[in-house]
């Protein structure tokens, strides 16, 4: 009897670790009702594999434009965001859950930027290095917000298939510092005492420093 119970539990764990999740959207992805994105995630014991297919509607039929895949943290669910334009070109981009850090405070995504010229999604190869990615209309750039002891706001531009940091604001122990980054060299612009009513304060500008 014990052997049967053990076998049942073992089979159950295998099924759980190899389940497949699915996502499909044509209402918000890239341009509403003109493109469709199908995503599947196969969860294995050691890693999960995400596969995606991009379609475009032509004469009321869906034509496949692209397929792709990547590996991610094992047993981390499939969550997809398709309603934000991160490079302000008029086309929504795609964020796919990749991992979590900072006790769940840092949401790490694989970022796919749509290229209207090639009609394909560009995989941003280092997007998982920058948590909580969002578009910043004040600076017309991408911001990353990171919790790690203090709070850091990264100001990023998209350069080919990479995110490139050009400025940063750090808030720690009631002090704020802003940096400009040029040729991989950090230049301190401002450091001053700073109080905020929000413990999770982040910044929309680095020069001047503004929330």
């Amino acid at each position: 009897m014990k052997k049967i119970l053990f076998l049942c539990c073992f089979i159950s764990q295998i099924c759980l670790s190899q389940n497949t999740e699915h996502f499909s959207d044509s209402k918000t992805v890239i341009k509403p009702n003109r493109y469709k994105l199908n995503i599947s995630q196969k969860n294995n014991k050691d890693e999960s594999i995400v596969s995606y297919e991009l379609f475009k509607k032509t004469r009321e039929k869906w034509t496949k434009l692209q397929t792709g895949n990547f590996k991610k943290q094992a047993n981390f669910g499939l969550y997809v965001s398709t309603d934000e334009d991160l490079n302000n070109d008029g086309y929504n981009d795609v964020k796919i859950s990749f991992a979590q850090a900072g006790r769940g405070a840092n949401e790490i995504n694989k970022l796919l930027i749509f290229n209207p010229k090639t009609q394909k999604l560009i995989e941003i190869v280092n997007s998982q290095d920058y948590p909580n990615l969002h578009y910043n209309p004040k600076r017309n750039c991408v911001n990353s917000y990171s919790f790690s002891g203090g709070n850091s706001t990264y100001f990023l531009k998209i350069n080919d298939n990479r995110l490139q940091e050009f400025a940063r604001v750090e808030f720690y122990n009631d002090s704020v510092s802003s940096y400009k980054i040029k040729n991989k060299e950090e230049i301190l612009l401002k450091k001053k005492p700073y109080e905020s009513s929000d413990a999770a304060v982040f910044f929309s500008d680095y020069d001047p420093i503004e929330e």
Side-chain angles (χ1 to χ4, degrees):
M1 185 66 179
K2 289 183 179 179
K3 289 184 178 179
I4 294 174
L5 288 173
F6 175 80
L7 183 61
C8 289
C9 290
F10 180 72
I11 293 172
S12 176
Q13 287 178 349
I14 292 176
C15 292
L16 181 63
S17 64
Q18 293 186 340
N19 72 308
T20 302
E21 301 174 66
H22 299 278
F23 171 90
S24 182
D25 176 51
S26 62
K27 294 182 179 179
T28 61
V29 65
I30 303 175
K31 286 285 189 181
N33 301 313
R34 290 171 55 186
Y35 295 87
K36 182 173 70 171
L37 184 64
N38 291 340
I39 303 175
S40 65
Q41 175 175 305
K42 185 176 181 181
N43 299 312
N44 300 309
K45 181 180 179 181
D46 299 320
E47 64 185 10
S48 295
I49 300 175
V50 176
S51 301
Y52 59 89
E53 297 178 318
L54 178 64
F55 300 83
K56 183 177 182 179
K57 183 176 282 188
T58 306
R59 297 179 181 177
E60 301 304 314
K61 291 184 178 180
W62 291 110
T63 302
K64 186 182 293 187
L65 299 176
Q66 182 184 10
T67 61
N69 64 79
F70 59 87
K71 298 176 181 179
K72 59 178 276 189
Q73 176 181 311
N75 295 321
F76 184 64
L78 176 64
Y79 308 101
V80 183
S81 172
T82 60
D83 60 355
E84 189 174 8
D85 178 4
L86 277 90
N87 59 347
N88 194 30
D89 65 349
Y91 296 87
N92 286 346
D93 302 301
V94 181
K95 293 187 292 185
I96 303 174
S97 56
F98 191 83
Q100 272 191 337
R103 298 180 181 179
N106 291 325
E107 180 182 292
I108 299 171
N109 290 299
K110 173 63 71 175
L111 176 60
L112 304 174
I113 297 291
F114 182 70
N115 185 330
K117 292 182 179 179
T118 63
Q119 293 287 291
K120 291 185 177 181
L121 293 165
I122 300 172
E123 181 180 333
I124 304 302
V125 296
N126 64 336
S127 58
Q128 59 268 29
D129 296 336
Y130 296 98
N132 306 311
L133 294 169
H134 292 286
Y135 175 66
N136 178 347
K138 181 175 288 188
R139 277 286 179 175
N140 190 28
C141 70
V142 178
N143 272 163
S144 167
Y145 310 114
S146 176
F147 296 89
S148 181
N151 302 331
S152 299
T153 303
Y154 300 90
F155 295 79
L156 310 161
K157 60 182 178 180
I158 299 170
N159 188 1
D160 294 327
N161 65 341
R162 302 184 66 86
L163 291 170
Q164 183 176 340
E165 183 181 349
F166 65 89
R168 184 174 74 255
V169 178
E170 295 181 346
F171 176 60
Y172 183 73
N173 284 346
D174 297 324
S175 175
V176 67
S177 303
S178 65
Y179 301 85
K180 187 176 182 179
I181 300 167
K182 189 174 182 179
N183 298 325
K184 298 183 179 180
E185 181 181 353
E186 295 185 357
I187 303 169
L188 178 63
L189 299 177
K190 187 84 172 181
K191 184 174 183 178
K192 63 180 182 179
Y194 195 88
E195 293 185 3
S196 176
S197 58
D198 188 354
V201 60
F202 294 106
F203 299 88
S204 63
D205 208 343
Y206 61 91
D207 189 20
I209 298 171
E210 294 180 352
E211 292 186 32

